[in-house]
Amino acid sequence: MELETLPKEDLIKFAKKQMMLIQKAKSRCTELEKEVEELKSKAVAGGTDDIIKALTERLDAVLLEKAESEQQCLSLKKENIKMKQEVEDSVTKMEDVREEFEQSHRHYVKEIETLKNELLAVHSKHSEDKASLQKELEAAINKQLELSEQLKIQSDSEDNVKKLQEEIQKIRPAFEEQILYLQKQLEATTDEKKQEIAHLQKVIESNSQHYQKDISSLQEELFQLKATHQEKVKELMCQIETSAKEHETEINKLNQLNENLVKQCEASEKNIQEKYECELENLKKATSNASQESQICSVLLKEDTVVDQVVNEKVKHLEDTLKELESQHSILKDEVTYMNNLKLKLEMDAQHVKDEFFHEREDLEFKINELLLAKEDQGCIIEKLKSELEDLNRQFYCTVEKHDKEVQSLKDQYQKEISELNETFLSSSEKEKLALMFEIQGLKEQCENLQQEKQEAILNYESLREIMEILQTELGESAGKISQEFESMKQQQASDVHELQQKLRTAFNEKDALLETVNQLKGENEKLLSLQELVPELENTIKSLQEKNEEYLVSLSQRDTMLQELEAKINSLTEEKDDFLSKIKNSHEEVDNLHEKCEKQERLIIELEEKVEQSTQYNSELEQKVNELTGQLEETLKKKNQNDQQVEKLMVQVKTLSEDQEALASEVKSLNEENNRLSSEKNQLSKDLEALLSGKDDVSLKEHITELEKKLQLTVEERDDLSKLFENEQAQKLFVKTQLYGFLKQMGSEVSEENEEQDAISVLQAIGEALAKLNEEKHNLSSQYDEKVLELEKNIKFLQEENVVQCEELRCLLRDYEQEKALLRRELEETIAEKESLQFDLLEMKNANEKTRLENQNLLIQVEELSQKYDKNETHNEKDSFIMEHENLRSSLEQKESELQDVRAELMLLKDSLEKTHIKTDQHSSVKDLEEKIGNLEKESKEKEEKISKIKLVAVKAKKELDSSRKEAQNLKEELESVRSEKDQLSASVRDLIQGAESYKNLLLEYDKQSEQLDVEKERANNFEHHIEDLTKQLRNSTFQCEKLNSDNEDLQARIETLQSNAKLLEVQILEVQRAKAMVDKELEAEKLQKEQKIQEHTSTVNELEELQLQLQLEKKQLQKTMQELELVKKDAQQTTLMNMEIADYERLMKELNQKLTNKNSKIEDLEQEIKIQKQKQETLQEEMTLLQTSVQQYEEKNTKIKQLLVKTKKELADSKQAETDHLILQASLKGELEASQQQVEVYKIQLAEITSEKHKIHEHLKTSAEQHQRTLSAYQQKVTALQEESRTAKAEQAAITSEFESYKVRVHNVLKQQKNKSASQAETEGAKQERQHLEMLIDQLKIKLQDSQNNLQVNVSELQALQSEHDALLERHNRMLQETVSKEAELREKLCSIQSENMTMKSEHTQMVSQLTSQNEALRSSFREQVRHLQEEHRKTVETLQQQLSKVEAQLFQLKSEPTTRSPASSHQSLKNLRERRNTDFPLLDMHTVTREEGEGMETTDTESVSSAGTYTQSLEQLLNSPETKLEPPLWHAEFTREELVQKLSSTTKSADHLNGLLRETEATNAVLMEQIKLLKSEIRRLERNQEREKSVANLEYLKNVLLQFIFLKPGSERERLLPVIDTMLQLSPEEKGKLAVIAQGEEENTSRSSGWASYLHSWSGLR
């Protein structure tokens, strides 16, 4: 058995099967031993010896089986050890595999790191690309500035445009009238043309009918000629047959006839050759015509179908001719065979002639074959030409498609570039917007803080003001009250100071709170760092867990999923980016709405600019017209070239047709001559025939006539063929003529019916003239096109310069805005600083007030006197200072307002310039991009305007607040000044005022110090802000690390799952080991029981030995006694002769006793041998015990190791679970954020979808509007060209008229001079004048006609151009649709290919799986077959060993039987008795009450019982016969031999009879035992089969339970009987059980009397009852 190949699970199954087999063998042994015990316990009278013999034999067999089973056990144990070693080897292999896997994992980690580095490189590249795009943006902005400069230049040219528009409006009505007139003329001409076309169609129909009638008449004539010809042929054949029969007798004249025949054959061969040559020439001509036609087809793609038809007709005609030739050839063959038969009938002299004829015939056949080959070659040539034509067509289509694709790719590139520029613009604007938004938010926050502080200051101020008012009122009343008020003021000031102190404390508390938050953030950062330090420890634990193979697989798959998730994240980020772009677009749309509001306010400006727009539109239309004219010019040039090629080809065709016509005419003439000649020959022949018929002498003449008739038929057929060819060529000629006339009509030259009847030369001349006209028109259009192109290039340059100027202006404005922003920020900061300084002043003043109040208590009287004097002086000074400050603030505010107004004016100018640029950008495709950029700039400017307006509002509020604060400050200052005046009055009177001044100085110094401290605190605050920013960055980093930790957590979770799965597998393995241990314990217990039994047996045998030794000693004592007695007897015998007889008897007794001793010695030896065997068995069992103990110890060690591993894994699991919980908390928070972001993303997606749908709609609308615009443009262009041509013609006419007028003047002068000279010739001049007038009238009429025709031509040309443009548009659409279909087909094919490849891979995988499974199946089959073979071999070996043992036992038995027995009957009887007594002691009687219950079906026994085998000795028949008689022998001197012989015979016969009876009984007993064994075995087999079937059916235990419950609870009767088959099928009952159940179901079972004891419950063994 190749156990190495089997997997682990199969090995375990195999071991279990082996264990089951061992258990079954043991159970069988136990059953057999029980049977033996039962048989031994039976005490059957008479046949005990036989039963004992049978039992001993069976015991021996059982012992042998037991020994074999023990050997099998040993072999199985060895195999188990081998299995364990193999498992250990596999474990080592698995560890090696795991190490390899770890290496691969590290390799994958390195690859991931490289991929990350590549990603970083890609990001750097992306940033570089971004920088390059920004540079391009700057370049584009520079271009825009240049374009703005060009726009300024263009504004000067707008006045000229207006003038031109006015002129156009004046000229328009006249031209419209002319257009109406021309349209009417066109309609008239179209009607005339329709009438002419109808007339021509009628003529064509009449001609076709006439031709059809002619053809039908010709066909009828042909049929008539054929019928007459056939009748004549039949008559001639009849005549030939009659002449042949009559002239058979005339043999002498045959020689002459032979010679004539030879000559005729030669002539016929020549004729045939001539015919073949003619046909070859015709074929060559036809092929040349076909090749010419194929060449024409390659040029004229439109005429392919007609030419193909002609070629097919010609091919069919050639095939018909070939068939006719073949028919003629077959006829000739028949004639030749007929002539050969005649020659054979003639003499042998004609054989030479025959040979020559055969040679000539072979030559002809060769020639015919050559003709056929030539025909095939020509067919191949035609097919090649067709294939070439198809290839050329394909190439043409491919080139067209390539051109279209290139155009589309260029368009796509331009669109991509435009979109990229837009995106760059948008990104820059977005960044600026975001920066502005952040700045605005910061300013708002600062404003709010300032407002709060302002409110607090106002409250303080109001309280102080109220206090001051109370003081002023109370000072006027009384001085007593002043003191009280001073005290109240002091209290209030103290409370104010207290409040200010509280505020300071709150500020410091906030500062402390901020510091605490900073410390907390630091603590969190430290925690995160500690977590990062914990990360390597976790990684170490992960590495320890990574030793399992499956875990690595899971981690790899997770990495793959992580990569996929990263890709998904990247996609989501791109989607978010798109959403942000859509948001920006929405913001742009909002800006557009604001812009529309601004436009409503500036309608006056827009009305002025609409005129400029019109002018620019006219310019753009002119440019588009020029472009279209250029396109049309190119198309006309292409068409002209095509027409030239067509004309050349038509010329070639006409020449070839004229040549063919001449050749056909000559052929027709020759055919007519031949026809006339043939008709004359026919008449002559008919006359000759009549003569021959009258004579009937010359057979040769008749044959000649038949030949001539055949020739005639051939000539008629040739004539028909030539007529068909002539008709085909005429039809071709007509077709070519119609094509030429159609071409001429297209060119514009009208051809009359007379011209149509003329030759082809006149047609060609007309074509040449039309081509010359086309060349002239081409030159004119090219010159016009060049002029327009130059003009347009100049305009474009101007526009570009203007755009550049505008871009520069916009940039300057943006810079100004940024500078203004910075100024506003500085101003805000200054205002904040001023506010703070004012607050410090207030505090100082309060302190000063407190000191002054203390001084004022002592000097109240002096205050009243001095207050009046100082009030007047100091109030003036303070007012002046306050007024100066106020004026300064106002001037600064006015400056700011003026700056804001300048900004507004600049914005207005920007809007105007942007609108102008927006209007003028329609002139070129590049200008459109600039328009989009300018639109974006406008939106940005609007946003900035809004921001500026908000800032203005804020500034206004700040101004108001400043004004109010300044007023309050002034009031406070006034109050302070009043206080100071009081203080000065007191200081003048008291020296302490100087100290107050010094204290004031000290206060100022303190104020400076405090201001410095404030600056320091501000710096600290800034530092804190920077620190907070750093902390935010650290937070971001920590969040990033958190995400990393989440990913690591996911990895940990996956690893934990793998650990759990491994733990489960370990638990399963532990359970299996425990099961194996339990099995081993059971085996140990069984072996212990066996050992105990063996020990008991050993003790019993030892006891028997001791008893036997005691018996021996007793017998020895008896022997000694007998010896003594014998010696005494001998002494007595010497005395007497009678004693001799006694001595003889004693000797006999001694012999018998010696025999008994020998027997007992042999028994003792046997017992000793058995003891030795048992000792050996005991030793082997002890060795097995030691082995088992060692194996148990190994298993226990393994168990302990596994338990330790489990404990470790549990600890690791607990740690990982704790980490999991932490990570899960983080995950939950992150998931919440993710869900919120996903909701936002979904909202943005919805918005994007809506915007995209709107965009698609706008695109479609734009496309339709563009198409309509192009159509109108083309129409206007045609009108403009017509007007330009008319203006040119008018100018030319004007020049001609001026020249004619000058010449006329000269003539008039000459005429006047002549009139002076000749006054007589007046009458003649009047006549000349009249003639001249008449001629001028004619000229005017002709000119009018010419103009009409020109107008018609122009209208037609314009219509043609419009139709061509529509045709081109439709072609473009068609091409697009084709490309789309092609692309879709390609995609579908790719999908199909991919699906097919996947299908193939799936099939290949399926086939591989099938092959693997088949290979596995085959391997399993082979392994099972080998197992079966091994089992069979082992079985054979066991059988052989058993047979050998049997043979040995039989040999031993034979030896024992062969030994001579000298036993007396008494001794034999005694021995039998002893044996019976021993057996009775060994096997006690069965007690029915003590018998244990027998095992039922399905029970498995593990306990084994061994019965001690007792050796039995049975005499054979020969021994019995040979054995001497047991009776006393007579004395030696007795000599009665006859009687003795008789007695011996009798005894031998009786012994033989007894022996035979014994043998019969033994055989009967053995037969009975064997029968019982057979029954038992059969019942066991059936029981096992039932058990197997039960195992199958008992799978559904619930069903069985339900059935049994129903059976129990139902009443006895039919319902119970219905359930019996179900129970029978489920439980596989025996027939006895079925019967019992049936009785129970019927309810007829009576309570039978139970026998005492447990015997009634026992399962009946056959031997017991």
Side-chain angles (χ1 to χ4, degrees), residues 589-599 942 946:
E589 285 173 0
E590 287 173 0
V591 171
D592 288 324
N593 293 324
L594 291 163
H595 188 62
E596 284 172 2
K597 287 175 184 176
C598 291
E599 283 174 353
K942 282 171 190 174
E946 287 174 358

Side-chain angles (χ1 to χ4, degrees), residues 1591-1631:
E1591 281 171 1
K1592 288 176 188 174
S1593 61
V1594 172
N1596 196 352
L1597 282 165
E1598 198 173 354
Y1599 180 68
L1600 204 153
K1601 180 198 77 173
N1602 293 327
V1603 170
L1604 285 168
L1605 284 167
Q1606 272 187 335
F1607 186 82
I1608 291 157
F1609 292 122
L1610 285 168
K1611 290 177 182 179
S1614 59
E1615 287 177 348
R1616 270 195 181 181
E1617 283 174 354
R1618 283 175 196 168
L1619 290 168
L1620 282 173
V1622 177
I1623 294 161
D1624 184 25
T1625 49
M1626 289 290 281
L1627 297 173
Q1628 293 292 322
L1629 300 169
S1630 64

